[in-house]
Amino acid sequence: MKNILLIGAGRFGRHLAIQMMQLGHQIMAVDISEERINSVLPYVTTAQIGDSTNADFLRSLGIGNYDVCFVTISGSFQNSLETTSLLKELGAKCVVSRAERDVQAKFLLRNGADQVVYPEKQLAQWAAIRYTADHIFDYIEIDKQHVIFEVPIPKNWLGKSIGELNIRKLYGINILGVKSHGETNVTVTPDIILTDDVTILVIGEYKALQKCFQL
């Protein structure tokens, strides 16, 4: 369980709060809008109405006590930038800020953000790959070169064991898990036989996965 400071209780901030609550984290939400604070209250541990560009207000929150500070302010990049910078000045351990464009990400990283997230851009990438490829059921980008795909079993793999296929040597990719009826087995052993009622989670370079699964 971690202590989380969430600054910005708009739609993205609220969805983030819901996910973190389900993971069991302690969340302090901050927003200048009483309406937005009221909407996020069911999903956070505590909340305050306040201006995150005010150094005295942020200082009163005890910034150094939080494991992660999320800046998810929407509608005012200036406020997001100022908040990010102040958090770092006040001793924030880790600041994750929201950006909508690459130029915003550059400014945020130069002014204190440890990491930048692009909700719209990242969702667009996921949707583009997920829904234009016939053989991808899910997709997670690890970095610019490596991804995780959930894919069906190729026909020429059916009835063979993972060890027999030796895909790590042939393609440079790894099987992370075998998924069946919504349950994922991450204890992958060479003797597992692949059948047409399962899918597999594979990790590797994007080009290697494309070649292996003809994506």
Side-chain angles (χ1 to χ4, degrees), residues 80-210:
S80 179
L81 189 62
E82 289 183 24
T83 299
T84 297
S85 180
L86 283 172
L87 285 169
K88 212 61 183 178
E89 288 177 13
L90 294 171
K93 298 172 185 175
C94 178
V95 180
V96 180
S97 299
R98 173 188 179 177
E100 296 178 2
R101 300 188 298 276
D102 288 342
V103 66
Q104 292 182 350
K106 290 179 182 178
F107 278 109
L108 289 165
L109 290 168
R110 289 174 185 171
N111 285 272
D114 295 289
Q115 298 288 335
V116 172
V117 293
Y118 295 78
E120 293 84 359
K121 182 178 179 180
Q122 289 164 338
L123 178 58
Q125 288 177 328
W126 178 87
I129 292 175
R130 167 64 179 85
Y131 293 108
T132 59
D134 295 332
H135 307 297
I136 297 177
F137 297 142
D138 207 350
Y139 154 79
I140 301 172
E141 183 179 274
I142 304 301
D143 56 34
K144 291 183 179 180
Q145 290 182 308
H146 298 86
V147 293
I148 297 173
F149 284 151
E150 180 186 346
V151 293
I153 307 300
K155 289 183 180 179
N156 59 331
W157 290 15
L158 292 174
K160 296 180 180 180
S161 70
I162 290 176
E164 185 180 355
L165 293 169
N166 200 20
I167 63 171
R168 180 184 297 177
K169 182 177 180 180
L170 292 175
Y171 297 99
I173 64 178
N174 291 290
I175 297 177
L176 295 179
V178 178
K179 191 172 181 179
S180 176
H181 306 295
E183 299 291 332
T184 302
N185 175 18
V186 295
T187 307
V188 179
T189 57
D191 60 336
I192 292 178
I193 304 297
L194 299 176
T195 58
D196 60 4
D197 61 343
V198 303
T199 59
I200 52 175
L201 301 175
V202 290
I203 184 171
E205 289 191 359
Y206 184 74
K207 290 182 180 179
L209 291 166
Q210 279 184 309

Side-chain angles (χ1 to χ4, degrees), residues 60-78:
S60 72
L61 300 176
I63 299 303
N65 296 322
Y66 296 98
D67 298 296
V68 184
C69 298
F70 287 96
V71 182
T72 60
I73 297 169
S74 59
S76 175
F77 178 66
Q78 181 65 33

